[in-house]
Amino acid sequence: MNSFIFEEKKLRAFTESVFLAMGCSSTHSALAADVLLTSDLRGIDSHGVARLSGYIRLWKKKRINATPNIKIVHETASTATVDGDGGLGLVVAPFAMQIAMEKADKYGSGWVSVKNSNHFGIAGYHAMQAVKRDMIGIAMTNASPLVAPTFTTERLLGTNPMCYAFPAGKYPPVVVDMATAAAANGKLEIAQREEKAIPTGWVQTNTGDSTTDAHALKAGGSLLPLGSDREHGSHKGFGLSATVDILTSILSGANYGPWVPPFVAFLDPLPNLPGEGIGHFHGAMRIDGFRPAQDFKDHMDNWIERFKSAKPISPDQPVIIPGEPEVEAEASRKLEGIPLVEPVVKDLAELAQMLGIEKLG
């Protein structure tokens, strides 16, 4: 499939203009654009500007508040619950992460749950904010119910990503950013755009049979938990996803399980919702609350070096440290530009026409 290369600066300016057209403030527009551009730069194409039209459709359905009053509604010295007022998760989540880091500065750690929010982009963006302050960062969110727990065909959980970010010394941070499903829905969307089959173990049909059809969800199928099936440990993926769902929603007062509002605008939320919006959970821990930060980072460097030196199965494929491919992608894309496939470019052109803003050139 054809792809087109865009300079980061131009793509960032276009993305900001989309959020400004929604009615977001200039500060919120720049922040939301930064979250999406970070995803594209790091090679996570499923969560970058390809998501823009989805946010616009939700805003048009009045399911995203462009001018939210984000506030703390419950608080202790080291914990807080934030009400996102229906705002962009791209804006609400950084607000919550900032609170977690401020509390960690004072008390060693900070923990913030969030309700009444929306899709927050990549979890890594938020967790990595803590790394800049010699903290360990944690971020997770629940999501639209597309995943069937082990032994069922019923969609009850989202892809429910979680991220842990650890600073190192002379090496980039170790960033464990992953969905708790066998694959993120964004990867299916990429396969659909490229008209490719998906690997076995990502999706099941509405009768519980394995399939490689990237369109199977539209026919009533479901994503599978991490592990794919019981014999390969899907109960562990189910457990991780359940943990994310509980921390992000039952703890905060957001919707959980099958009641999480769908990201797609053509599906309305279920009636009689038990909570408010989508939920997130953020944490920050000061490393010097456990040992001197430089000692930790020195040993992180040693850890990285030891794992990188592990004897490979194939000399062409060494061990990959979590976050390493994203660092390499960012270095390349900052120099060479960000590739967008033709369907995304077409989608952004239609978006510009709809909003009356300058097309992406």
Side-chain angles (χ1 to χ4, degrees), residues 146-166:
L146 296 173
V147 180
T150 307
F151 301 136
T152 183
T153 59
E154 191 174 357
R155 300 175 180 178
L156 295 177
L157 291 166
T159 53
N160 292 7
M162 58 170 60
C163 181
Y164 292 77
F166 305 92

Side-chain angles (χ1 to χ4, degrees), residues 186-198 202 214:
K187 290 189 176 182
L188 264 69
E189 293 171 346
I190 291 173
Q192 290 164 12
R193 287 194 291 267
E194 297 179 352
E195 298 180 355
K196 291 182 178 179
I198 57 173
W202 283 13

Side-chain angles (χ1 to χ4, degrees), residues 61 70 98 155 184 212 286:
K61 291 281 295 258
I70 309 167
Q98 181 64 33
R155 300 175 180 178
T212 60
R286 270 175 46 186

Side-chain angles (χ1 to χ4, degrees), residues 160-180:
N160 292 7
M162 58 170 60
C163 181
Y164 292 77
F166 305 92
K170 60 184 178 181
Y171 295 106
V174 174
V175 181
V176 183
D177 187 358
M178 64 180 196
T180 55

Side-chain angles (χ1 to χ4, degrees), residues 258-337:
W259 294 285
V260 176
F263 182 74
V264 292
F266 62 83
L267 291 177
D268 292 324
L270 294 174
N272 304 316
L273 296 176
E276 296 177 81
I278 285 175
H280 316 314
F281 185 76
H282 301 267
M285 296 183 286
R286 270 175 46 186
I287 289 167
D288 64 4
F290 300 88
R291 69 184 302 185
Q294 192 57 53
D295 287 354
F296 175 88
K297 291 192 286 187
D298 289 344
H299 281 279
M300 281 299 300
D301 286 345
N302 189 50
W303 186 93
I304 291 167
E305 288 172 354
R306 180 62 188 90
F307 277 77
K308 288 297 292 181
S309 67
K311 183 179 179 181
I313 296 171
S314 167
D316 298 326
Q317 181 56 74
V319 170
I320 297 174
I321 303 299
E324 187 178 3
E326 290 84 350
V327 170
E328 293 174 355
E330 185 168 7
S332 172
R333 291 183 174 196
K334 276 189 171 292
L335 286 174
E336 300 172 8

Side-chain angles (χ1 to χ4, degrees), residues 64-351:
I64 286 181
N65 179 5
T67 56
N69 177 25
I70 309 167
K71 59 186 177 183
I72 296 172
V73 292
H74 187 85
E75 187 174 23
T76 71
S78 62
T79 66
T81 298
V82 164
D83 184 332
D85 194 27
L88 284 162
L90 307 171
V91 171
V92 176
F95 178 94
M97 195 70 210
Q98 181 64 33
I99 293 169
M101 293 186 295
E102 289 173 357
K103 288 182 175 293
D105 271 334
K106 292 182 181 179
Y107 304 108
S109 68
W111 306 95
V112 180
S113 63
V114 179
K115 65 177 180 177
N116 204 6
S117 186
N118 280 284
H119 190 277
F120 78 175
I122 55 169
Y125 179 92
H126 312 295
M128 287 191 298
Q129 302 309 306
V131 166
K132 303 171 186 176
R133 298 167 69 157
D134 281 349
M135 297 178 185
I136 295 168
I138 299 169
M140 56 188 74
T141 184
N142 65 3
S144 310
L146 296 173
V147 180
T150 307
F151 301 136
T152 183
T153 59
E154 191 174 357
R155 300 175 180 178
L156 295 177
L157 291 166
T159 53
N160 292 7
M162 58 170 60
C163 181
Y164 292 77
F166 305 92
K170 60 184 178 181
Y171 295 106
V174 174
V175 181
V176 183
D177 187 358
M178 64 180 196
T180 55
N185 185 43
K187 290 189 176 182
L188 264 69
E189 293 171 346
I190 291 173
Q192 290 164 12
R193 287 194 291 267
E194 297 179 352
E195 298 180 355
K196 291 182 178 179
I198 57 173
T200 301
W202 283 13
V203 174
Q204 66 182 4
T205 67
N206 59 357
T207 56
D209 297 314
S210 181
T211 181
T212 60
D213 180 5
H215 299 275
L217 290 185
K218 298 174 183 177
S222 54
L223 289 169
L224 291 166
L226 188 63
S228 299
D229 56 36
R230 179 65 171 83
E231 288 70 26
H232 294 93
S234 68
H235 58 292
K236 298 177 183 179
F238 174 27
L240 288 171
S241 186
T243 300
V244 172
D245 205 32
I246 292 165
L247 286 174
T248 60
S249 57
I250 296 180
L251 191 62
S252 68
N255 291 299
Y256 45 86
W259 294 285
V260 176
F263 182 74
V264 292
F266 62 83
L267 291 177
D268 292 324
L270 294 174
N272 304 316
L273 296 176
E276 296 177 81
I278 285 175
H280 316 314
F281 185 76
H282 301 267
M285 296 183 286
R286 270 175 46 186
I287 289 167
D288 64 4
F290 300 88
R291 69 184 302 185
Q294 192 57 53
D295 287 354
F296 175 88
K297 291 192 286 187
D298 289 344
H299 281 279
M300 281 299 300
D301 286 345
N302 189 50
W303 186 93
I304 291 167
E305 288 172 354
R306 180 62 188 90
F307 277 77
K308 288 297 292 181
S309 67
K311 183 179 179 181
I313 296 171
S314 167
D316 298 326
Q317 181 56 74
V319 170
I320 297 174
I321 303 299
E324 187 178 3
E326 290 84 350
V327 170
E328 293 174 355
E330 185 168 7
S332 172
R333 291 183 174 196
K334 276 189 171 292
L335 286 174
E336 300 172 8
I338 297 170
L340 299 179
V341 294
E342 190 171 2
V344 172
V345 175
K346 181 181 177 182
D347 193 38
L348 296 180
E350 292 173 353
L351 198 59

